[in-house]
Amino acid sequence: MGLGHEEGFGAPCLKCKEKCEGFELHYWRKICRNCKCGQEEHDIPSSSEEDRKVGKLLEDTKYTTLIAKLKNDNIPLYKRNVMILTSPVPAKKNITIDTVTYEWAPPVQNQTLVSPTHIFSCSSQELEKQPVAVSEGAQYRKKQLAKQLPAHDQDPSKCHELSPSEVRHMEQFVKKYKREALGVGDVKLPGDVEVRAPDENNLKNGGGRGTSSAVGTMERSPNQKASQYSCYRCKLNMKEGDPAVYAERAGYDKLWHPGCFVCCTCGELLVDMIYFWKNGNLYCGRHYCDSERPRCAGCDELIFSNEYTLAEGQNWHLKHFCCFDCDCVLAGITYITVNDKPVCKSCYMKNHAVICQGCHNAIDPEVQRVSYNNFNWHAKRECFLCSCCSKCLIGQKFISMEGMLFCSVACKEKMMS
């Protein structure tokens, strides 16, 4: 299975507009060929594409009420809870209606008590993270959907040239995390929830390790106040009337402030409250998968083959340990790391090498050089010398001025006169 080479579509990069005129997908790296930024920086995925991705993620789970299938289409669609809030605004002659559309809101029954405005005002989210349509918050949500729930972590067809064995192992992995870890947060007022603890059968199946949903019948005290409930993450008490987020797989004896419902690895708010529960911690999809499988630093896909390589502290498919600039395979040849990316020597010399102030040629990374005040020289007699009298300055005291070197004050004054 493989990814097609899609070219020339999408908007310029939101991160480096001056470098990128338009998105051009690299055929296996999941990045733009022009600017090397991720696809999420280009505002490429449409809402329908993201809804299909999340719909497929929730397929064959207990959350089928959140998905729907269109006629003549077997791909499930995520039924996002889009909410439109209206409020009258007094005007000189007539009353106008101010409308705010949230591209996502918690799917709860009591929209008055647990509205998006209430959820977001109770959390630590900045204003720009609220998913209001055509806003920075909507863009943030879309970017987090791409980062936290990459399509290539659940769909083999989105991966690059998997073998039949790798496809089979990936499908088994996806079924396992849907069965044991995947969940969607539930927003309620603490006083409206029955506290249910894991039963003995659940503990035997791993519930005590936080890998399966908690079920039971231990009810809360009817006189318990919201202030007696504390957030599982920050340990602070809930305020009266404030909503909380529950994660069924953690058990309903645990709750979170909306702003504390975050991935334990990246600290980002769990997009659309989709979580993965493992060993007493909440994870986003990406970092849950990272905790279970190695991820290739080249293609960003999980590794399901038995053979892969470890280099620069990262995992790589054997075929993807390549130069970040030209894609040549780096096995057995010299490479240099640039911004945590491996680059072959040829591309390094062409695109990244520092320039010698003496001879104005690129400096080979394997030869000695002298660096001073962001200037560089070959450590050779013909390069590191006085700009006035050409005396070799290797091992000598010198004066530096705007990239020029002088052996003495006299040579500096002579050159400046």
Side-chain angles (χ1 to χ4, degrees):
M1 295 190 181
L3 293 171
H5 186 174
E6 303 174 60
E7 296 187 0
F9 69 96
C13 181
L14 302 175
K15 190 175 181 180
C16 54
K17 294 179 181 178
E18 71 282 358
K19 298 180 181 178
C20 182
E21 296 181 357
F23 181 78
E24 184 182 347
L25 179 64
H26 187 282
Y27 68 104
W28 57 262
R29 286 191 185 273
K30 319 293 190 300
I31 61 172
C32 175
R33 292 170 63 93
N34 295 321
C35 66
K36 304 297 180 71
C37 291
Q39 187 169 335
E40 68 275 5
E41 300 291 350
H42 293 75
D43 194 21
I44 298 302
S46 66
S47 295
S48 62
E49 289 173 352
E50 292 293 357
D51 289 346
R52 286 173 180 266
K53 178 182 72 173
V54 178
K56 186 172 179 62
L57 177 66
L58 299 179
E59 189 180 26
D60 300 323
T61 70
K62 67 172 296 179
Y63 301 101
T64 52
T65 55
L66 297 177
I67 63 176
K69 289 186 178 181
L70 302 178
K71 291 182 179 180
N72 303 320
D73 191 349
N74 292 324
I75 300 177
L77 280 177
Y78 175 40
K79 295 191 299 184
R80 277 183 297 122
N81 184 40
V82 178
M83 181 180 288
I84 300 175
L85 299 182
T86 59
S87 58
V89 179
K92 290 182 178 180
K93 295 183 178 180
N94 301 311
I95 294 178
T96 60
I97 302 299
D98 186 23
T99 301
V100 178
T101 301
Y102 288 85
E103 292 195 351
W104 171 85
V108 296
Q109 294 179 348
N110 193 337
Q111 298 287 10
T112 303
L113 291 176
V114 191
S115 67
T117 304
H118 200 180
I119 287 288
F120 299 133
S121 65
C122 288
S123 76
S124 61
Q125 295 185 88
E126 297 85 350
L127 181 63
E128 63 267 19
K129 290 187 179 180
Q130 297 187 24
V132 176
V134 196
S135 71
E136 289 185 12
Q139 189 64 39
Y140 169 80
R141 174 183 171 272
K142 183 177 289 188
K143 185 178 293 187
Q144 291 307 312
L145 278 170
K147 288 184 176 180
Q148 295 184 23
L149 304 172
H152 49 269
D153 279 8
Q154 58 159 314
D155 188 351
S157 70
K158 303 296 184 182
C159 299
H160 180 240
E161 296 180 349
L162 295 185
S163 68
S165 174
E166 289 172 312
V167 171
R168 185 171 62 254
H169 281 97
M170 182 175 184
E171 290 173 342
Q172 292 171 351
F173 174 73
V174 172
K175 287 180 181 178
K176 183 174 184 290
Y177 73 55
K178 286 186 177 184
R179 184 175 65 249
E180 299 181 358
L182 175 63
V184 180
D186 194 10
V187 178
K188 294 181 181 294
L189 296 179
D192 296 341
V193 175
E194 289 183 354
V195 178
R196 294 178 287 174
D199 61 20
E200 290 184 5
N201 291 330
N202 189 45
L203 289 173
K204 290 178 181 178
N205 292 329
R209 296 191 299 273
T211 55
S212 60
S213 59
V215 293
T217 58
M218 187 176 71
E219 296 187 2
R220 65 179 176 83
S221 167
N223 297 320
Q224 192 168 0
K225 297 181 179 179
S227 60
Q228 295 174 286
Y229 296 90
S230 61
C231 174
Y232 184 71
R233 181 173 184 259
C234 72
K235 311 304 180 186
L236 297 178
N237 289 339
M238 302 296 297
K239 294 180 180 178
E240 195 72 34
D242 280 358
V245 185
Y246 292 83
E248 183 181 15
R249 291 194 184 274
Y252 280 92
D253 57 331
K254 302 177 183 64
L255 53 81
W256 287 260
H257 291 109
C260 292
F261 202 65
V262 300
C263 172
C264 67
T265 300
C266 64
E268 291 287 352
L269 292 162
L270 293 166
V271 64
D272 291 13
M273 295 186 180
I274 297 171
Y275 70 88
F276 291 72
W277 180 254
K278 177 183 177 182
N279 296 335
N281 291 302
L282 293 169
Y283 290 84
C284 67
R286 170 178 290 276
H287 291 114
Y288 170 81
C289 291
D290 286 350
S291 75
E292 293 284 314
R293 304 290 309 184
R295 185 182 297 276
C296 176
C299 67
D300 196 48
E301 295 170 16
L302 300 173
I303 299 175
F304 291 96
S305 59
N306 292 327
E307 294 184 350
Y308 60 94
T309 189
L310 178 65
E312 302 300 324
Q314 300 182 94
N315 301 299
W316 310 77
H317 287 113
L318 296 178
K319 61 186 176 184
H320 290 160
F321 185 53
C322 303
C323 172
F324 193 64
D325 287 3
C326 72
D327 292 334
C328 73
V329 177
L330 296 174
I333 68 172
T334 300
Y335 67 88
I336 300 91
T337 301
V338 178
N339 297 325
D340 296 325
K341 305 294 184 183
V343 177
C344 70
K345 187 174 178 180
S346 176
C347 285
Y348 177 85
M349 292 296 291
K350 179 181 178 181
N351 303 324
H352 307 283
V354 296
I355 303 300
C356 174
Q357 289 295 114
C359 67
H360 305 292
N361 292 321
I363 301 178
D364 190 300
E366 297 182 276
V367 304
Q368 287 187 322
R369 73 170 188 255
V370 180
S371 299
Y372 186 80
N373 281 352
N374 295 322
F375 294 105
N376 299 273
W377 296 263
H378 286 106
K380 300 190 298 184
R381 297 178 59 88
E382 56 268 32
C383 292
F384 195 64
L385 43 75
C386 177
S387 298
C388 180
C389 69
S390 299
K391 176 183 176 181
C392 177
L393 296 176
I394 296 176
Q396 306 295 318
K397 292 182 179 181
F398 62 88
I399 302 169
S400 175
M401 182 177 174
E402 299 179 356
M404 294 187 291
L405 302 174
F406 303 100
C407 62
S408 64
V409 174
C411 276
K412 175 187 172 184
E413 292 177 346
K414 183 178 180 181
M415 194 73 173
M416 295 297 103
S417 60

